[in-house]
């Protein structure tokens, strides 16, 4: 994660965040490791880039995602009901730089309690 380019709004900014992405089209596998003031958290999510739906166990509940391409942008729309019975709609827009060295993920999260916009920028290490 490029901390100086990433913005988490009202959410706590992680100290480090690493994505390990495995593209086995149409399957996209993502392992996330995040460290911050509340310790280390990991997640494994799976998506289908051919427009299929997937179900993933997320930290706040079980999410159903619809993933598709919008030009060169990968869009992931996820709906879930949190453990506290709050409906969440999240849209992520993943864009890879032309030199393929930087990934930008712009997220919009909408709940009955309001919305938030986040930006995550990661540099490629391999």
């Amino acid at each position: 994660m490029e901390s100086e380019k990433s913005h988490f709004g009202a959410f706590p900014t992680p100290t480090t965040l690493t994505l390990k992405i495995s593209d086995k089209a149409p399957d996209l596998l993502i392992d996330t490791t995040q460290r911050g003031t509340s310790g280390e958290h990991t997640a494994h999510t799976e998506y289908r880039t051919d427009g299929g739906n997937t179900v993933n166990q997320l930290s706040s509940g079980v999410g159903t995602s619809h993933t598709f391409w919008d030009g060169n942008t990968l869009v992931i729309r996820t709906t879930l009901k949190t453990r506290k019975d709050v409906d969440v709609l999240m849209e992520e827009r993943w864009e890879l730089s032309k030199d393929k060295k930087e990934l930008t993920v712009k997220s919009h999260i909408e709940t009955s309690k309001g919305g938030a916009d986040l930006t995550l920028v990661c540099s490629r290490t391999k």
Side-chain angles (χ1 to χ4, degrees):
M1 173 183 71
E2 297 290 335
S3 297
E4 66 281 354
K5 295 180 182 179
S6 300
H7 306 282
F8 290 84
F11 294 97
T13 301
T15 307
T16 63
L17 191 149
T18 304
L19 300 173
K20 181 181 176 189
I21 302 168
S22 179
D23 183 5
K24 298 179 180 182
D27 297 317
L28 184 66
L29 313 174
I30 303 168
D31 290 299
T32 305
T33 302
Q34 178 175 312
R35 290 181 185 89
T37 56
S38 63
E40 180 175 290
H41 302 279
T42 60
H44 174 80
T45 50
E46 298 182 11
Y47 303 101
R48 292 191 54 86
T49 59
D50 61 0
N53 290 339
T54 55
V55 176
N56 288 292
Q57 178 63 53
L58 307 172
S59 62
S60 55
V62 176
T64 301
S65 300
H66 177 71
T67 307
F68 59 94
W69 289 100
D70 180 9
N72 290 327
T73 302
L74 184 66
V75 179
I76 303 172
R77 288 190 183 137
T78 302
T79 57
L80 67 97
K81 186 175 287 285
T82 68
R83 292 181 184 95
K84 295 182 179 181
D85 205 34
V86 175
D87 290 319
V88 178
L89 173 61
M90 180 170 52
E91 179 175 289
E92 300 174 63
R93 299 184 67 83
W94 293 52
E95 296 181 18
L96 193 57
S97 63
K98 289 183 182 184
D99 64 4
K100 300 184 190 272
K101 292 184 180 180
E102 192 169 83
L103 173 68
T104 301
V105 180
K106 293 184 179 183
S107 303
H108 178 74
I109 301 170
E110 196 65 46
T111 73
S112 58
K113 298 180 179 188
D117 292 304
L118 298 84
T119 302
L120 170 65
V121 179
C122 294
S123 293
R124 176 176 244 152
T125 58
K126 286 186 179 182

PDB file of all heavy atoms in Angstrom, residues 77-108:
ATOM      1  N   ARG A  77     -19.265  -5.199  -7.314  1.00  0.00           N
ATOM      2  CA  ARG A  77     -20.395  -4.694  -6.525  1.00  0.00           C
ATOM      3  C   ARG A  77     -20.784  -5.767  -5.523  1.00  0.00           C
ATOM      4  O   ARG A  77     -21.125  -6.881  -5.900  1.00  0.00           O
ATOM      5  CB  ARG A  77     -21.581  -4.375  -7.423  1.00  0.00           C
ATOM      6  CG  ARG A  77     -21.369  -3.144  -8.251  1.00  0.00           C
ATOM      7  CD  ARG A  77     -22.632  -2.710  -8.952  1.00  0.00           C
ATOM      8  NE  ARG A  77     -22.309  -1.549  -9.779  1.00  0.00           N
ATOM      9  CZ  ARG A  77     -22.739  -1.379 -11.011  1.00  0.00           C
ATOM     10  NH1 ARG A  77     -23.539  -2.278 -11.567  1.00  0.00           N
ATOM     11  NH2 ARG A  77     -22.391  -0.306 -11.698  1.00  0.00           N
ATOM     12  N   THR A  78     -20.734  -5.405  -4.261  1.00  0.00           N
ATOM     13  CA  THR A  78     -20.992  -6.355  -3.178  1.00  0.00           C
ATOM     14  C   THR A  78     -22.140  -5.857  -2.316  1.00  0.00           C
ATOM     15  O   THR A  78     -22.170  -4.678  -1.945  1.00  0.00           O
ATOM     16  CB  THR A  78     -19.734  -6.540  -2.310  1.00  0.00           C
ATOM     17  OG1 THR A  78     -18.654  -6.986  -3.149  1.00  0.00           O
ATOM     18  CG2 THR A  78     -19.957  -7.543  -1.198  1.00  0.00           C
ATOM     19  N   THR A  79     -23.065  -6.754  -2.005  1.00  0.00           N
ATOM     20  CA  THR A  79     -24.125  -6.455  -1.050  1.00  0.00           C
ATOM     21  C   THR A  79     -23.973  -7.400   0.128  1.00  0.00           C
ATOM     22  O   THR A  79     -23.584  -8.560  -0.033  1.00  0.00           O
ATOM     23  CB  THR A  79     -25.533  -6.632  -1.667  1.00  0.00           C
ATOM     24  OG1 THR A  79     -25.658  -7.968  -2.150  1.00  0.00           O
ATOM     25  CG2 THR A  79     -25.776  -5.653  -2.795  1.00  0.00           C
ATOM     26  N   LEU A  80     -24.247  -6.885   1.318  1.00  0.00           N
ATOM     27  CA  LEU A  80     -24.197  -7.733   2.509  1.00  0.00           C
ATOM     28  C   LEU A  80     -25.042  -7.138   3.607  1.00  0.00           C
ATOM     29  O   LEU A  80     -25.376  -5.947   3.573  1.00  0.00           O
ATOM     30  CB  LEU A  80     -22.760  -7.956   2.986  1.00  0.00           C
ATOM     31  CG  LEU A  80     -21.979  -6.774   3.544  1.00  0.00           C
ATOM     32  CD1 LEU A  80     -22.039  -6.772   5.056  1.00  0.00           C
ATOM     33  CD2 LEU A  80     -20.531  -6.878   3.112  1.00  0.00           C
ATOM     34  N   LYS A  81     -25.405  -7.971   4.544  1.00  0.00           N
ATOM     35  CA  LYS A  81     -26.064  -7.541   5.768  1.00  0.00           C
ATOM     36  C   LYS A  81     -25.089  -7.842   6.890  1.00  0.00           C
ATOM     37  O   LYS A  81     -24.657  -8.977   7.053  1.00  0.00           O
ATOM     38  CB  LYS A  81     -27.379  -8.280   5.973  1.00  0.00           C
ATOM     39  CG  LYS A  81     -28.163  -7.752   7.170  1.00  0.00           C
ATOM     40  CD  LYS A  81     -29.514  -8.406   7.307  1.00  0.00           C
ATOM     41  CE  LYS A  81     -30.506  -7.968   6.281  1.00  0.00           C
ATOM     42  NZ  LYS A  81     -31.078  -6.641   6.474  1.00  0.00           N
ATOM     43  N   THR A  82     -24.716  -6.804   7.630  1.00  0.00           N
ATOM     44  CA  THR A  82     -23.731  -6.985   8.686  1.00  0.00           C
ATOM     45  C   THR A  82     -24.320  -7.775   9.851  1.00  0.00           C
ATOM     46  O   THR A  82     -25.524  -7.990   9.934  1.00  0.00           O
ATOM     47  CB  THR A  82     -23.228  -5.632   9.231  1.00  0.00           C
ATOM     48  OG1 THR A  82     -24.306  -4.985   9.922  1.00  0.00           O
ATOM     49  CG2 THR A  82     -22.692  -4.750   8.113  1.00  0.00           C
ATOM     50  N   ARG A  83     -23.447  -8.178  10.741  1.00  0.00           N
ATOM     51  CA  ARG A  83     -23.884  -8.908  11.934  1.00  0.00           C
ATOM     52  C   ARG A  83     -24.801  -8.042  12.807  1.00  0.00           C
ATOM     53  O   ARG A  83     -25.547  -8.549  13.629  1.00  0.00           O
ATOM     54  CB  ARG A  83     -22.674  -9.372  12.730  1.00  0.00           C
ATOM     55  CG  ARG A  83     -21.878 -10.445  12.006  1.00  0.00           C
ATOM     56  CD  ARG A  83     -20.680 -10.911  12.818  1.00  0.00           C
ATOM     57  NE  ARG A  83     -19.897 -11.855  12.058  1.00  0.00           N
ATOM     58  CZ  ARG A  83     -18.837 -11.536  11.328  1.00  0.00           C
ATOM     59  NH1 ARG A  83     -18.415 -10.290  11.281  1.00  0.00           N
ATOM     60  NH2 ARG A  83     -18.183 -12.454  10.652  1.00  0.00           N
ATOM     61  N   LYS A  84     -24.730  -6.717  12.616  1.00  0.00           N
ATOM     62  CA  LYS A  84     -25.592  -5.788  13.364  1.00  0.00           C
ATOM     63  C   LYS A  84     -26.837  -5.424  12.557  1.00  0.00           C
ATOM     64  O   LYS A  84     -27.493  -4.430  12.828  1.00  0.00           O
ATOM     65  CB  LYS A  84     -24.804  -4.538  13.740  1.00  0.00           C
ATOM     66  CG  LYS A  84     -23.677  -4.833  14.713  1.00  0.00           C
ATOM     67  CD  LYS A  84     -22.952  -3.581  15.103  1.00  0.00           C
ATOM     68  CE  LYS A  84     -21.841  -3.904  16.089  1.00  0.00           C
ATOM     69  NZ  LYS A  84     -21.123  -2.701  16.511  1.00  0.00           N
ATOM     70  N   ASP A  85     -27.124  -6.224  11.495  1.00  0.00           N
ATOM     71  CA  ASP A  85     -28.333  -6.096  10.678  1.00  0.00           C
ATOM     72  C   ASP A  85     -28.378  -4.791   9.861  1.00  0.00           C
ATOM     73  O   ASP A  85     -29.444  -4.225   9.641  1.00  0.00           O
ATOM     74  CB  ASP A  85     -29.584  -6.232  11.552  1.00  0.00           C
ATOM     75  CG  ASP A  85     -30.775  -6.704  10.744  1.00  0.00           C
ATOM     76  OD1 ASP A  85     -30.586  -7.497   9.801  1.00  0.00           O
ATOM     77  OD2 ASP A  85     -31.912  -6.264  11.043  1.00  0.00           O
ATOM     78  N   VAL A  86     -27.212  -4.317   9.416  1.00  0.00           N
ATOM     79  CA  VAL A  86     -27.136  -3.127   8.563  1.00  0.00           C
ATOM     80  C   VAL A  86     -26.882  -3.576   7.127  1.00  0.00           C
ATOM     81  O   VAL A  86     -25.977  -4.371   6.872  1.00  0.00           O
ATOM     82  CB  VAL A  86     -25.991  -2.188   9.027  1.00  0.00           C
ATOM     83  CG1 VAL A  86     -25.823  -1.010   8.080  1.00  0.00           C
ATOM     84  CG2 VAL A  86     -26.250  -1.701  10.448  1.00  0.00           C
ATOM     85  N   ASP A  87     -27.710  -3.099   6.191  1.00  0.00           N
ATOM     86  CA  ASP A  87     -27.515  -3.391   4.769  1.00  0.00           C
ATOM     87  C   ASP A  87     -26.393  -2.525   4.216  1.00  0.00           C
ATOM     88  O   ASP A  87     -26.366  -1.314   4.461  1.00  0.00           O
ATOM     89  CB  ASP A  87     -28.792  -3.127   3.976  1.00  0.00           C
ATOM     90  CG  ASP A  87     -29.890  -4.129   4.282  1.00  0.00           C
ATOM     91  OD1 ASP A  87     -29.569  -5.327   4.402  1.00  0.00           O
ATOM     92  OD2 ASP A  87     -31.056  -3.715   4.403  1.00  0.00           O
ATOM     93  N   VAL A  88     -25.476  -3.148   3.475  1.00  0.00           N
ATOM     94  CA  VAL A  88     -24.329  -2.445   2.911  1.00  0.00           C
ATOM     95  C   VAL A  88     -24.271  -2.730   1.410  1.00  0.00           C
ATOM     96  O   VAL A  88     -24.420  -3.876   0.982  1.00  0.00           O
ATOM     97  CB  VAL A  88     -23.003  -2.916   3.564  1.00  0.00           C
ATOM     98  CG1 VAL A  88     -21.805  -2.226   2.935  1.00  0.00           C
ATOM     99  CG2 VAL A  88     -23.037  -2.678   5.067  1.00  0.00           C
ATOM    100  N   LEU A  89     -24.045  -1.677   0.628  1.00  0.00           N
ATOM    101  CA  LEU A  89     -23.770  -1.805  -0.797  1.00  0.00           C
ATOM    102  C   LEU A  89     -22.408  -1.174  -1.033  1.00  0.00           C
ATOM    103  O   LEU A  89     -22.166  -0.021  -0.645  1.00  0.00           O
ATOM    104  CB  LEU A  89     -24.827  -1.088  -1.639  1.00  0.00           C
ATOM    105  CG  LEU A  89     -24.543  -1.017  -3.142  1.00  0.00           C
ATOM    106  CD1 LEU A  89     -24.454  -2.417  -3.746  1.00  0.00           C
ATOM    107  CD2 LEU A  89     -25.612  -0.206  -3.838  1.00  0.00           C
ATOM    108  N   MET A  90     -21.495  -1.947  -1.610  1.00  0.00           N
ATOM    109  CA  MET A  90     -20.137  -1.450  -1.861  1.00  0.00           C
ATOM    110  C   MET A  90     -19.802  -1.656  -3.334  1.00  0.00           C
ATOM    111  O   MET A  90     -20.032  -2.734  -3.877  1.00  0.00           O
ATOM    112  CB  MET A  90     -19.128  -2.192  -0.983  1.00  0.00           C
ATOM    113  CG  MET A  90     -17.704  -1.731  -1.170  1.00  0.00           C
ATOM    114  SD  MET A  90     -16.549  -2.386   0.061  1.00  0.00           S
ATOM    115  CE  MET A  90     -16.846  -4.126  -0.010  1.00  0.00           C
ATOM    116  N   GLU A  91     -19.274  -0.603  -3.958  1.00  0.00           N
ATOM    117  CA  GLU A  91     -18.784  -0.737  -5.325  1.00  0.00           C
ATOM    118  C   GLU A  91     -17.311  -0.376  -5.338  1.00  0.00           C
ATOM    119  O   GLU A  91     -16.929   0.696  -4.879  1.00  0.00           O
ATOM    120  CB  GLU A  91     -19.542   0.171  -6.299  1.00  0.00           C
ATOM    121  CG  GLU A  91     -18.992   0.018  -7.722  1.00  0.00           C
ATOM    122  CD  GLU A  91     -19.771   0.781  -8.759  1.00  0.00           C
ATOM    123  OE1 GLU A  91     -20.907   0.363  -9.047  1.00  0.00           O
ATOM    124  OE2 GLU A  91     -19.246   1.784  -9.264  1.00  0.00           O
ATOM    125  N   GLU A  92     -16.501  -1.306  -5.858  1.00  0.00           N
ATOM    126  CA  GLU A  92     -15.064  -1.084  -6.006  1.00  0.00           C
ATOM    127  C   GLU A  92     -14.755  -0.996  -7.496  1.00  0.00           C
ATOM    128  O   GLU A  92     -15.275  -1.777  -8.289  1.00  0.00           O
ATOM    129  CB  GLU A  92     -14.265  -2.243  -5.411  1.00  0.00           C
ATOM    130  CG  GLU A  92     -14.504  -2.459  -3.939  1.00  0.00           C
ATOM    131  CD  GLU A  92     -13.790  -3.706  -3.448  1.00  0.00           C
ATOM    132  OE1 GLU A  92     -12.541  -3.735  -3.510  1.00  0.00           O
ATOM    133  OE2 GLU A  92     -14.493  -4.638  -3.032  1.00  0.00           O
ATOM    134  N   ARG A  93     -13.888  -0.061  -7.863  1.00  0.00           N
ATOM    135  CA  ARG A  93     -13.442   0.101  -9.244  1.00  0.00           C
ATOM    136  C   ARG A  93     -11.921  -0.033  -9.252  1.00  0.00           C
ATOM    137  O   ARG A  93     -11.228   0.807  -8.703  1.00  0.00           O
ATOM    138  CB  ARG A  93     -13.907   1.433  -9.815  1.00  0.00           C
ATOM    139  CG  ARG A  93     -15.444   1.530  -9.815  1.00  0.00           C
ATOM    140  CD  ARG A  93     -15.971   2.793 -10.448  1.00  0.00           C
ATOM    141  NE  ARG A  93     -15.704   2.843 -11.865  1.00  0.00           N
ATOM    142  CZ  ARG A  93     -16.444   2.254 -12.811  1.00  0.00           C
ATOM    143  NH1 ARG A  93     -17.513   1.572 -12.470  1.00  0.00           N
ATOM    144  NH2 ARG A  93     -16.117   2.355 -14.079  1.00  0.00           N
ATOM    145  N   TRP A  94     -11.432  -1.133  -9.829  1.00  0.00           N
ATOM    146  CA  TRP A  94     -10.017  -1.478  -9.847  1.00  0.00           C
ATOM    147  C   TRP A  94      -9.406  -1.049 -11.174  1.00  0.00           C
ATOM    148  O   TRP A  94      -9.872  -1.485 -12.237  1.00  0.00           O
ATOM    149  CB  TRP A  94      -9.837  -2.975  -9.691  1.00  0.00           C
ATOM    150  CG  TRP A  94     -10.239  -3.535  -8.359  1.00  0.00           C
ATOM    151  CD1 TRP A  94     -11.423  -3.355  -7.706  1.00  0.00           C
ATOM    152  CD2 TRP A  94      -9.461  -4.398  -7.544  1.00  0.00           C
ATOM    153  NE1 TRP A  94     -11.428  -4.054  -6.527  1.00  0.00           N
ATOM    154  CE2 TRP A  94     -10.234  -4.703  -6.406  1.00  0.00           C
ATOM    155  CE3 TRP A  94      -8.192  -4.940  -7.674  1.00  0.00           C
ATOM    156  CZ2 TRP A  94      -9.775  -5.525  -5.397  1.00  0.00           C
ATOM    157  CZ3 TRP A  94      -7.740  -5.771  -6.657  1.00  0.00           C
ATOM    158  CH2 TRP A  94      -8.514  -6.051  -5.538  1.00  0.00           C
ATOM    159  N   GLU A  95      -8.362  -0.228 -11.117  1.00  0.00           N
ATOM    160  CA  GLU A  95      -7.676   0.224 -12.330  1.00  0.00           C
ATOM    161  C   GLU A  95      -6.175   0.013 -12.194  1.00  0.00           C
ATOM    162  O   GLU A  95      -5.576   0.408 -11.194  1.00  0.00           O
ATOM    163  CB  GLU A  95      -7.964   1.702 -12.594  1.00  0.00           C
ATOM    164  CG  GLU A  95      -9.433   1.973 -12.873  1.00  0.00           C
ATOM    165  CD  GLU A  95      -9.720   3.426 -13.164  1.00  0.00           C
ATOM    166  OE1 GLU A  95      -8.782   4.189 -13.497  1.00  0.00           O
ATOM    167  OE2 GLU A  95     -10.894   3.808 -13.052  1.00  0.00           O
ATOM    168  N   LEU A  96      -5.584  -0.592 -13.202  1.00  0.00           N
ATOM    169  CA  LEU A  96      -4.146  -0.833 -13.253  1.00  0.00           C
ATOM    170  C   LEU A  96      -3.515   0.231 -14.138  1.00  0.00           C
ATOM    171  O   LEU A  96      -4.041   0.537 -15.213  1.00  0.00           O
ATOM    172  CB  LEU A  96      -3.888  -2.234 -13.827  1.00  0.00           C
ATOM    173  CG  LEU A  96      -2.499  -2.829 -13.694  1.00  0.00           C
ATOM    174  CD1 LEU A  96      -2.047  -2.893 -12.240  1.00  0.00           C
ATOM    175  CD2 LEU A  96      -2.471  -4.217 -14.325  1.00  0.00           C
ATOM    176  N   SER A  97      -2.408   0.814 -13.670  1.00  0.00           N
ATOM    177  CA  SER A  97      -1.729   1.838 -14.464  1.00  0.00           C
ATOM    178  C   SER A  97      -1.229   1.237 -15.775  1.00  0.00           C
ATOM    179  O   SER A  97      -1.076   0.021 -15.906  1.00  0.00           O
ATOM    180  CB  SER A  97      -0.562   2.445 -13.678  1.00  0.00           C
ATOM    181  OG  SER A  97       0.408   1.450 -13.405  1.00  0.00           O
ATOM    182  N   LYS A  98      -0.957   2.097 -16.753  1.00  0.00           N
ATOM    183  CA  LYS A  98      -0.521   1.631 -18.071  1.00  0.00           C
ATOM    184  C   LYS A  98       0.760   0.806 -17.995  1.00  0.00           C
ATOM    185  O   LYS A  98       0.933  -0.149 -18.745  1.00  0.00           O
ATOM    186  CB  LYS A  98      -0.347   2.807 -19.026  1.00  0.00           C
ATOM    187  CG  LYS A  98      -1.667   3.417 -19.422  1.00  0.00           C
ATOM    188  CD  LYS A  98      -1.508   4.524 -20.417  1.00  0.00           C
ATOM    189  CE  LYS A  98      -2.874   5.110 -20.708  1.00  0.00           C
ATOM    190  NZ  LYS A  98      -2.845   6.137 -21.725  1.00  0.00           N
ATOM    191  N   ASP A  99       1.666   1.160 -17.072  1.00  0.00           N
ATOM    192  CA  ASP A  99       2.913   0.388 -16.939  1.00  0.00           C
ATOM    193  C   ASP A  99       2.735  -0.846 -16.036  1.00  0.00           C
ATOM    194  O   ASP A  99       3.675  -1.583 -15.788  1.00  0.00           O
ATOM    195  CB  ASP A  99       4.047   1.271 -16.424  1.00  0.00           C
ATOM    196  CG  ASP A  99       3.810   1.799 -15.015  1.00  0.00           C
ATOM    197  OD1 ASP A  99       2.796   1.435 -14.377  1.00  0.00           O
ATOM    198  OD2 ASP A  99       4.636   2.608 -14.563  1.00  0.00           O
ATOM    199  N   LYS A 100       1.497  -1.055 -15.549  1.00  0.00           N
ATOM    200  CA  LYS A 100       1.118  -2.215 -14.729  1.00  0.00           C
ATOM    201  C   LYS A 100       1.865  -2.296 -13.395  1.00  0.00           C
ATOM    202  O   LYS A 100       1.981  -3.355 -12.795  1.00  0.00           O
ATOM    203  CB  LYS A 100       1.268  -3.518 -15.507  1.00  0.00           C
ATOM    204  CG  LYS A 100       0.405  -3.553 -16.747  1.00  0.00           C
ATOM    205  CD  LYS A 100       0.494  -4.884 -17.429  1.00  0.00           C
ATOM    206  CE  LYS A 100      -0.139  -4.867 -18.758  1.00  0.00           C
ATOM    207  NZ  LYS A 100      -1.408  -5.115 -19.036  1.00  0.00           N
ATOM    208  N   LYS A 101       2.362  -1.145 -12.920  1.00  0.00           N
ATOM    209  CA  LYS A 101       3.111  -1.132 -11.666  1.00  0.00           C
ATOM    210  C   LYS A 101       2.298  -0.591 -10.487  1.00  0.00           C
ATOM    211  O   LYS A 101       2.735  -0.696  -9.345  1.00  0.00           O
ATOM    212  CB  LYS A 101       4.390  -0.306 -11.827  1.00  0.00           C
ATOM    213  CG  LYS A 101       5.392  -0.965 -12.763  1.00  0.00           C
ATOM    214  CD  LYS A 101       6.665  -0.177 -12.831  1.00  0.00           C
ATOM    215  CE  LYS A 101       7.655  -0.858 -13.771  1.00  0.00           C
ATOM    216  NZ  LYS A 101       8.906  -0.126 -13.864  1.00  0.00           N
ATOM    217  N   GLU A 102       1.123   0.002 -10.774  1.00  0.00           N
ATOM    218  CA  GLU A 102       0.338   0.591  -9.698  1.00  0.00           C
ATOM    219  C   GLU A 102      -1.140   0.248  -9.878  1.00  0.00           C
ATOM    220  O   GLU A 102      -1.696   0.395 -10.967  1.00  0.00           O
ATOM    221  CB  GLU A 102       0.532   2.108  -9.691  1.00  0.00           C
ATOM    222  CG  GLU A 102       0.009   2.783  -8.449  1.00  0.00           C
ATOM    223  CD  GLU A 102       0.455   4.237  -8.381  1.00  0.00           C
ATOM    224  OE1 GLU A 102      -0.215   5.076  -9.008  1.00  0.00           O
ATOM    225  OE2 GLU A 102       1.470   4.508  -7.716  1.00  0.00           O
ATOM    226  N   LEU A 103      -1.759  -0.227  -8.808  1.00  0.00           N
ATOM    227  CA  LEU A 103      -3.176  -0.557  -8.789  1.00  0.00           C
ATOM    228  C   LEU A 103      -3.898   0.467  -7.926  1.00  0.00           C
ATOM    229  O   LEU A 103      -3.489   0.730  -6.797  1.00  0.00           O
ATOM    230  CB  LEU A 103      -3.387  -1.961  -8.201  1.00  0.00           C
ATOM    231  CG  LEU A 103      -4.834  -2.377  -7.953  1.00  0.00           C
ATOM    232  CD1 LEU A 103      -5.578  -2.555  -9.283  1.00  0.00           C
ATOM    233  CD2 LEU A 103      -4.880  -3.659  -7.127  1.00  0.00           C
ATOM    234  N   THR A 104      -4.973   1.046  -8.473  1.00  0.00           N
ATOM    235  CA  THR A 104      -5.804   1.976  -7.715  1.00  0.00           C
ATOM    236  C   THR A 104      -7.188   1.377  -7.574  1.00  0.00           C
ATOM    237  O   THR A 104      -7.808   0.983  -8.570  1.00  0.00           O
ATOM    238  CB  THR A 104      -5.897   3.346  -8.419  1.00  0.00           C
ATOM    239  OG1 THR A 104      -4.584   3.890  -8.554  1.00  0.00           O
ATOM    240  CG2 THR A 104      -6.765   4.317  -7.622  1.00  0.00           C
ATOM    241  N   VAL A 105      -7.659   1.279  -6.328  1.00  0.00           N
ATOM    242  CA  VAL A 105      -8.990   0.760  -6.044  1.00  0.00           C
ATOM    243  C   VAL A 105      -9.788   1.887  -5.399  1.00  0.00           C
ATOM    244  O   VAL A 105      -9.475   2.329  -4.297  1.00  0.00           O
ATOM    245  CB  VAL A 105      -8.950  -0.460  -5.096  1.00  0.00           C
ATOM    246  CG1 VAL A 105     -10.363  -0.970  -4.838  1.00  0.00           C
ATOM    247  CG2 VAL A 105      -8.062  -1.557  -5.654  1.00  0.00           C
ATOM    248  N   LYS A 106     -10.800   2.367  -6.123  1.00  0.00           N
ATOM    249  CA  LYS A 106     -11.701   3.396  -5.586  1.00  0.00           C
ATOM    250  C   LYS A 106     -12.976   2.702  -5.155  1.00  0.00           C
ATOM    251  O   LYS A 106     -13.600   1.994  -5.938  1.00  0.00           O
ATOM    252  CB  LYS A 106     -11.978   4.462  -6.636  1.00  0.00           C
ATOM    253  CG  LYS A 106     -10.745   5.270  -6.974  1.00  0.00           C
ATOM    254  CD  LYS A 106     -11.060   6.378  -7.944  1.00  0.00           C
ATOM    255  CE  LYS A 106      -9.772   7.168  -8.224  1.00  0.00           C
ATOM    256  NZ  LYS A 106     -10.019   8.294  -9.107  1.00  0.00           N
ATOM    257  N   SER A 107     -13.335   2.903  -3.892  1.00  0.00           N
ATOM    258  CA  SER A 107     -14.504   2.228  -3.317  1.00  0.00           C
ATOM    259  C   SER A 107     -15.523   3.249  -2.848  1.00  0.00           C
ATOM    260  O   SER A 107     -15.168   4.293  -2.305  1.00  0.00           O
ATOM    261  CB  SER A 107     -14.097   1.371  -2.114  1.00  0.00           C
ATOM    262  OG  SER A 107     -13.128   0.426  -2.467  1.00  0.00           O
ATOM    263  N   HIS A 108     -16.792   2.919  -3.066  1.00  0.00           N
ATOM    264  CA  HIS A 108     -17.895   3.693  -2.492  1.00  0.00           C
ATOM    265  C   HIS A 108     -18.725   2.723  -1.672  1.00  0.00           C
ATOM    266  O   HIS A 108     -19.148   1.675  -2.169  1.00  0.00           O
ATOM    267  CB  HIS A 108     -18.760   4.349  -3.564  1.00  0.00           C
ATOM    268  CG  HIS A 108     -19.908   5.107  -2.968  1.00  0.00           C
ATOM    269  ND1 HIS A 108     -19.731   6.309  -2.327  1.00  0.00           N
ATOM    270  CD2 HIS A 108     -21.220   4.803  -2.869  1.00  0.00           C
ATOM    271  CE1 HIS A 108     -20.911   6.726  -1.867  1.00  0.00           C
ATOM    272  NE2 HIS A 108     -21.827   5.828  -2.191  1.00  0.00           N
TER     273      HIS A 108
END
